Amino acid sequence: MPAVDKLLLEEALQDSPQTRSLLSVFEEDAGTLTDYTNQLLQAMQRVYGAQNEMCLATQQLSKQLLAYEKQNFALGKGDEEVISTLHYFSKVVDELNGLHTELAKQLADTMVLPIVQFREKDLTEVSTLKDLFGLASTEHDLSMAKYSRLPKKKENEKVKTEVVKEVAAARRKQHLSSLQYYCALNALQYRKRMAMMEPMLGFAHGQINFFKKGAAMFSQSMDNFLSSVSNMVQSIQVELEAEAEKMRVSQQELLSVDESVYTPDFDVAAPQINRNLIQKAGYLNLRSKTGLVTTSWERLYFFTQGGNLMCQPRGAVAGGLIQDLDNCSVMAVDCEDRRYCFQITTPNGKSGIILQAESRKENEEWICAINNISRQIYLTDNPEAVAIKLNETALQAVTPITGFRKKQESPCPSPNLENSEVKNDNTVPKAAVSVPEAEELIAPGTPIQFDIVLPATEFLDQNRGSRRTNPFGETEDDAFPEAEDSLLQQMFIVRFLGSMAVKTDGTTEVIYEAMRQVLAARAIHNIFRMTESHLMVTSQMLRLIDPQTQVSRANFELTSVTQFAAHQENKRLVGFVVRLPESTGGESLSTYVFESNSEGEKICYAINLGKEINEVQKDPEALAQLMLSIPLTNDGKYVLLNDQPEDTDGSPRENAGAESEA
């Protein structure tokens, strides 16, 4: 007997679109079976009706044969032989009528009754369970929508507890109804085969008995065939009983799970988060704009496929592309007083989509999975092993670098003019590079500052009505006079990762070590948010600008920048060392680490170019040579080669002021 397709009871709780899609196939099969059963029943009732009509017809025929004697024929003499013959025929017809009556009874019991019972019992049960499953699913969706709208305020804990209980009850109810529905659909695959063969088996047996009693003309081969059909029905019955017992045991095991399976955000205090994911699937709430100021949230099934984020609504055969995740950044955000929201931002800084997970564990795993995918780990030969290796340490959990030791093995010369190995067209031979220890670069226990300034919204709220001052020289001037007089003016989108005091600025290794410690500290303390700024590079200074208000957040004189470098592997990481005078008369060294939307080498090139301009401005002849070698804009500004136009327009972006994930 061919294998029977079945719905997996273990997938009933997840209720994924794949399971719903397979369920729709079973429902379509059940609907087709219902239509065919009705048509088959009509045909069988017609046969049964014809057999009943045959009984009435033979009975009427027998009476009519006997009535011949009672007819007053004008020329009726000599009919005695005919009358006796008709009496015999009447007796034969009466016997045949008895056989037809017995056949009609057999057809009613063995052909019509089983198909009626199959329709009224099995098909009606499936239809009823389908309605109950639909009601339970609707109730669960409503409870999840109510749960998703819960605010984060602690005074609503009582309401939260009630809603969580309501979600758990609805989820359990949906699970129970889906298990019962799935079991009924699985059993229907067996019963429909029996329901199709049993009536015809009864029909054939009735006809055989009829003809055997009438003429005994049926062959032994037909008996053997009918015997084999009977054996097949019995074997299917045995399989049905075994499968029904197996489904009953499986249903009990699935319903005996812990209550945490039904309760969302059950382990909110200490969730077990897998940060090595390279693919993820599950339900999320998608935020969509319905008007100029109105939004709506829709619960949809999302999954990752390669470097893409896909969405598959219920009932859809396949998913559709939502977002290309390559080189995207992901961030946890606050949105409409909802919990566990995160935003995906495209590589060019444009705003992406905002999604909401149902628990803290799901929220952080989605962030980690998208972050891993954005680094294109899935393109490696063994992505799972690469993801685990990258997350073995706190540093590797947030950036695909292999550690500080690799930098020691293959040091890269600084792009700074001061450390250039080419002087006066003479190449300086490379000697054995002595890489200093980490303690020689940064003092152990040096504190790390993760926020260079407050975000723009907090700045406006906390300093409304008064002029704000901060230690980084932030100002509210709308215009930058030095930029107007500068030959170089280049804008980049960056996100501040952190800054810390360092001991030396004699090597770029101090920048790499600062990057390692900043990223490690972010991973250890679960710091995912970063403030986005516009970094303007001119020939006089570096300026961090708030993209929303165009307020200057921090200024660094270019002459105070003594070292700058981009990470050798994670090209989006860039840092620089600033030497600033102190009030005590000494000088302090600090390293600032940023993540950029474009390659960090472009920022280093712009800083290097600004320093060159500062040098050659003192020599008009050298300045003329430099201007001839570098392209200029129509207004005389220097143009960086191979730069992205969206990074140079200097205009506030749609996603300005957003925060992203480290």
Side-chain angles (χ1 to χ4, degrees):
M1 191 67 185
V4 177
D5 295 325
K6 295 185 292 184
L7 287 166
L8 297 180
L9 302 183
E10 295 79 4
E11 296 179 359
L13 178 59
Q14 185 181 11
D15 195 24
S16 65
Q18 290 84 354
T19 305
R20 284 295 185 106
S21 180
L22 181 59
L23 177 61
S24 66
V25 176
F26 277 75
E27 290 176 341
E28 181 181 359
D29 183 81
T32 304
L33 178 60
T34 300
D35 296 336
Y36 175 79
T37 301
N38 291 331
Q39 297 173 6
L40 181 62
L41 179 59
Q42 291 179 1
M44 290 182 176
Q45 287 175 338
R46 186 174 180 181
V47 172
Y48 173 69
Q51 187 60 43
N52 278 334
E53 183 66 23
M54 190 66 178
C55 294
L56 296 175
T58 54
Q59 185 180 10
Q60 182 68 25
L61 176 59
S62 178
K63 291 180 179 180
Q64 287 300 118
L65 291 175
L66 293 175
Y68 182 82
E69 182 183 8
K70 300 177 181 181
Q71 300 300 318
N72 190 14
F73 293 105
L75 303 173
K77 293 181 180 181
D79 289 342
E80 290 78 13
E81 186 177 357
V82 174
I83 293 174
S84 62
T85 303
L86 291 180
H87 279 201
Y88 180 78
F89 279 123
S90 175
K91 182 179 179 181
V92 172
V93 171
D94 283 336
E95 293 176 355
L96 289 175
N97 180 63
L99 293 178
H100 282 294
T101 302
E102 182 180 357
L103 176 59
K105 185 176 183 303
Q106 288 183 349
L107 292 179
D109 294 338
T110 61
M111 183 181 71
V112 179
L113 182 60
I115 199 70
V116 171
Q117 289 178 340
F118 173 71
R119 185 185 69 171
E120 299 300 327
K121 179 182 177 182
D122 299 322
L123 295 180
T124 303
E125 179 187 8
V126 169
S127 178
T128 303
L129 290 176
K130 179 181 179 180
D131 295 337
L132 294 177
F133 174 70
L135 293 175
S137 297
T138 302
E139 183 179 350
H140 174 256
D141 291 342
L142 292 175
S143 63
M144 281 304 305
K146 186 176 181 181
Y147 170 80
S148 300
R149 293 193 297 269
L150 282 177
K152 297 188 294 184
K153 297 180 179 179
K154 292 185 177 179
E155 54 265 30
N156 293 328
E157 287 298 319
K158 181 178 180 181
V159 176
K160 175 185 174 183
T161 302
E162 295 177 355
V163 174
V164 167
K165 290 181 179 179
E166 180 180 347
V167 171
R171 188 167 291 177
R172 183 178 184 86
K173 181 179 179 181
Q174 184 194 25
H175 190 198
L176 177 59
S177 63
S178 62
L179 288 175
Q180 294 174 344
Y181 187 32
Y182 289 6
C183 290
L185 287 175
N186 289 340
L188 186 62
Q189 298 305 307
Y190 294 92
R191 292 194 175 104
K192 76 175 182 180
R193 299 186 180 187
M194 295 173 54
M196 297 300 106
M197 289 187 288
E198 278 186 338
M200 294 311 301
L201 189 63
F203 172 79
H205 277 305
Q207 293 291 343
I208 288 175
N209 290 333
F210 173 79
F211 287 109
K212 275 185 176 181
K213 290 181 180 180
M217 296 176 61
F218 282 91
S219 64
Q220 184 67 27
S221 60
M222 182 61 71
D223 291 337
N224 294 334
F225 171 75
L226 295 178
S227 177
S228 64
V229 173
S230 299
N231 293 334
M232 184 185 300
V233 173
Q234 291 178 1
S235 66
I236 295 176
Q237 180 67 30
V238 172
E239 290 182 16
L240 173 58
E241 293 175 356
E243 184 65 26
E245 178 64 19
K246 186 186 296 184
M247 289 190 295
R248 184 187 66 81
V249 174
S250 179
Q251 182 176 351
Q252 290 179 350
E253 292 177 354
L254 293 174
L255 290 176
S256 62
V257 296
D258 189 78
E259 193 66 22
S260 60
V261 176
Y262 302 100
T263 306
D265 213 11
F266 181 78
D267 52 351
V268 63
Q272 300 296 325
I273 300 171
N274 184 1
R275 302 185 182 276
N276 303 324
L277 296 173
I278 57 171
Q279 57 184 7
K280 179 73 175 170
Y283 279 99
L284 296 171
N285 291 335
L286 173 64
R287 181 177 181 268
S288 303
K289 287 187 177 181
T290 56
L292 294 177
V293 294
T294 57
T295 59
S296 65
W297 295 81
E298 184 178 5
R299 189 168 183 261
L300 299 171
Y301 188 83
F302 289 83
F303 62 95
T304 60
Q305 189 176 67
N308 299 322
L309 179 64
M310 313 290 287
C311 175
Q312 184 175 359
R314 286 184 181 178
V317 178
L321 177 64
I322 294 296
Q323 180 74 52
D324 183 0
L325 299 178
D326 285 348
N327 298 318
C328 283
S329 59
V330 60
M331 54 190 173
V333 296
D334 293 329
C335 185
E336 300 181 9
D337 198 26
R338 285 180 174 240
R339 302 174 302 161
Y340 311 132
C341 294
F342 60 93
Q343 178 175 335
I344 302 173
T345 305
T346 58
N348 59 11
K350 295 182 179 180
S351 60
I353 58 175
I354 296 179
L355 302 167
Q356 180 190 17
E358 71 174 37
S359 65
R360 176 186 170 188
K361 178 178 182 296
E362 287 291 304
N363 182 49
E364 296 196 16
E365 284 190 350
W366 271 105
I367 290 176
C368 293
I370 295 174
N371 194 33
N372 289 336
I373 294 172
S374 69
R375 304 177 200 150
Q376 301 182 350
I377 294 177
Y378 64 93
L379 297 177
T380 59
D381 294 335
N382 192 349
E384 292 82 1
V386 173
I388 294 174
K389 183 177 179 181
L390 291 177
N391 289 279
E392 284 178 351
T393 64
L395 172 61
Q396 294 167 341
V398 292
T399 181
I401 64 177
T402 58
F404 185 57
R405 293 184 180 271
K406 187 168 183 179
K407 308 301 177 294
Q408 296 176 348
E409 296 172 359
S410 58
C412 178
S414 170
N416 300 14
L417 290 177
E418 293 82 356
N419 298 325
S420 175
E421 295 181 355
V422 181
K423 297 182 180 180
N424 299 326
D425 298 330
N426 295 325
T427 302
V428 179
K430 292 185 180 179
V433 180
S434 176
V435 180
E437 297 293 335
E439 292 77 5
E440 299 177 10
L441 301 174
I442 301 175
T446 300
I448 299 175
Q449 181 175 346
F450 295 108
D451 290 321
I452 191 168
V453 288
L454 291 173
T457 53
E458 298 180 18
F459 165 74
L460 293 177
D461 293 339
Q462 297 185 13
N463 298 277
R464 200 180 303 275
S466 62
R467 187 175 183 84
R468 182 176 186 264
T469 60
N470 70 53
F472 296 97
E474 179 177 324
T475 175
E476 297 182 10
D477 296 336
D478 294 330
F480 311 125
E482 79 286 349
E484 297 178 359
D485 299 333
S486 175
L487 292 175
L488 174 67
Q489 183 177 339
Q490 190 68 27
M491 189 80 73
F492 301 92
I493 296 178
V494 296
R495 287 169 291 280
F496 180 68
L497 295 176
S499 63
M500 59 191 309
V502 297
K503 288 184 175 182
T504 179
D505 60 352
T507 173
T508 55
E509 296 296 338
V510 69
I511 298 177
Y512 300 145
E513 176 63 18
M515 290 177 179
R516 188 188 71 81
Q517 293 193 20
V518 167
L519 294 176
R522 279 182 168 270
I524 292 172
H525 300 290
N526 292 325
I527 301 175
F528 295 103
R529 298 183 180 179
M530 299 180 291
T531 302
E532 187 173 279
S533 303
H534 288 175
L535 175 63
M536 177 184 287
V537 181
T538 68
S539 57
Q540 284 86 24
M541 66 173 53
L542 304 179
R543 185 185 293 273
L544 283 175
I545 303 171
D546 187 297
Q548 288 183 334
T549 63
Q550 294 301 299
V551 170
S552 177
R553 286 175 167 168
N555 300 319
F556 304 99
E557 294 290 340
L558 206 58
T559 55
S560 66
V561 179
T562 58
Q563 285 284 355
F564 49 92
H567 200 280
Q568 294 171 329
E569 294 184 18
N570 189 348
K571 302 300 184 181
R572 294 166 63 183
L573 292 182
V574 65
F576 55 82
V577 181
V578 178
R579 181 185 292 270
L580 297 174
E582 295 182 340
S583 58
T584 58
E587 291 182 330
S588 64
L589 295 174
S590 299
T591 298
Y592 295 83
V593 182
F594 296 86
E595 179 189 52
S596 65
N597 281 4
S598 57
E599 293 184 4
E601 291 293 341
K602 295 182 180 180
I603 299 179
C604 293
Y605 177 78
I607 297 175
N608 193 36
L609 181 59
K611 285 182 168 289
E612 286 187 0
I613 294 173
N614 267 333
E615 292 293 330
V616 300
Q617 277 182 337
K618 303 173 184 177
D619 187 353
E621 185 175 340
L623 178 61
Q625 291 294 331
L626 181 62
M627 293 180 66
L628 289 175
S629 62
I630 301 178
L632 301 177
T633 61
N634 295 332
D635 56 356
K637 299 290 191 302
Y638 285 99
V639 177
L640 292 185
L641 300 179
N642 300 326
D643 199 8
Q644 299 177 1
E646 59 266 24
D647 288 341
T648 60
D649 57 7
S651 60
R653 298 189 173 275
E654 183 181 354
N655 193 36
E659 296 178 340
S660 68
E661 185 255 348

